[in-house]
Amino acid sequence: MTENQKTAYWLEIKNVVGALQQVTRLIAEHSGSIQNIEHFSSGENVRLYLEIAGVKDAEDMQADIEALDVVASIRQVPTFNEIYGKRVIVIGGGAQVAEVAKGAISEADRHNIRGEKISVDTIPLVGEQEIANAVRAVTRLPRVKVLILAGALMGGEISRAVDDVKKEGIIVISLNMAGSVPKHADLVITDPIQAGVTAVMAIADTAKFDIKMQKGRVYK
């Protein structure tokens, strides 16, 4: 394994004090760096998804982890990036979200056929604080490259949340709606289907489209 190459593992460990510490200590002993970890409770055991980089001998590390008394099972699996790839997140009103998703999914399908891996996640929400919380949570999700805000009216705390998301390098596209959010977004597009298409084109390696050349523009 090269230094930057990630390997993913699905572990089931006993739900006892110090179990995770034993696993992470062994990973460190093999020069591994945990790049992503997700935790799933399952009765007496705990399931972990780990993405690890920097391990010199992945098979040796896996054997050592498997030998721990606290480990019920371990197996290597494809990384989420290999399976789901880059993520587009769509947040807003149900009708607008559905139309944006239609465009994004259709365009993602066109690029995924060529070997890309782009997935689209949506959530219809109402309420300024609820949407603002969801927008900020985007920065805590793995592999997100672009956020689309789809609604009829967004501003206030949502606009401040948009600024927070942009600081993390995530592209923000907004529908041309009432409120202050369009003034904070990287790009404003009136047609929801086109917004979804453009979002995918902005992150697809197989598309000849540079979002940097469009930032600050409004497409009616």
Side-chain angles (χ1 to χ4, degrees):
M1 186 192 303
T2 62
E3 184 176 350
N4 295 323
Q5 183 180 351
K6 296 179 185 178
T7 302
Y9 297 91
W10 181 251
L11 289 83
E12 189 167 346
I13 64 176
K14 296 177 182 178
N15 191 6
V16 296
V17 175
L20 181 58
Q21 182 184 33
Q22 292 184 47
V23 172
T24 56
R25 185 180 66 248
L26 263 180
I27 293 171
E29 289 176 358
H30 285 270
S31 303
S33 172
I34 298 175
Q35 304 292 303
N36 186 26
I37 180 170
E38 296 194 29
H39 165 278
F40 308 86
S41 295
S42 177
E44 295 182 355
N45 291 337
V46 174
R47 295 175 179 175
L48 298 173
Y49 168 80
L50 297 173
E51 289 182 5
I52 305 170
V55 178
K56 296 178 181 179
D57 190 331
E59 291 184 0
D60 189 38
M61 182 192 71
Q62 182 173 339
D64 286 348
I65 293 175
E66 192 170 23
L68 291 172
D69 290 338
V70 295
V71 174
S73 65
I74 177 174
R75 59 188 173 93
Q76 187 173 332
V77 295
T79 66
F80 281 156
N81 189 62
E82 291 172 319
I83 299 172
Y84 296 110
K86 305 167 187 173
R87 296 175 75 180
V88 177
I89 306 292
V90 189
I91 298 174
Q96 293 94 334
V97 165
E99 290 299 297
V100 170
K102 185 187 298 184
I105 291 169
S106 297
E107 185 68 12
D109 182 64
R110 190 169 72 87
H111 292 283
N112 288 350
I113 287 173
R114 304 179 194 176
E116 288 266 7
K117 290 292 178 63
I118 298 173
S119 56
V120 181
D121 298 287
T122 67
I123 180 168
L125 286 173
V126 294
E128 178 182 341
Q129 194 58 55
E130 288 78 4
I131 294 175
N133 288 341
V135 169
R136 288 195 172 94
V138 166
T139 63
R140 303 195 295 272
L141 295 173
R143 310 182 320 280
V144 177
K145 301 299 181 182
V146 58
L147 166 67
I148 309 175
L149 290 172
L153 170 63
M154 291 188 192
E157 190 60 30
I158 303 172
S159 296
R160 289 184 281 275
V162 167
D163 291 337
D164 293 339
V165 169
K166 290 171 61 179
K167 290 177 183 177
E168 299 299 322
I170 298 173
I171 299 167
V172 179
I173 295 176
S174 169
L175 295 189
N176 194 8
M177 66 179 93
S180 59
V181 158
K183 296 179 182 179
H184 292 253
D186 291 306
L187 184 63
V188 179
I189 300 176
T190 298
D191 182 77
I193 292 179
Q194 186 59 42
V197 170
T198 302
V200 172
M201 289 177 61
I203 61 174
D205 293 331
T206 50
K208 295 181 179 180
F209 178 79
D210 189 352
I211 189 70
K212 294 178 182 178
M213 303 294 292
Q214 310 299 321
K215 282 192 173 184
R217 301 189 64 175
V218 177
Y219 288 92
K220 298 179 180 180

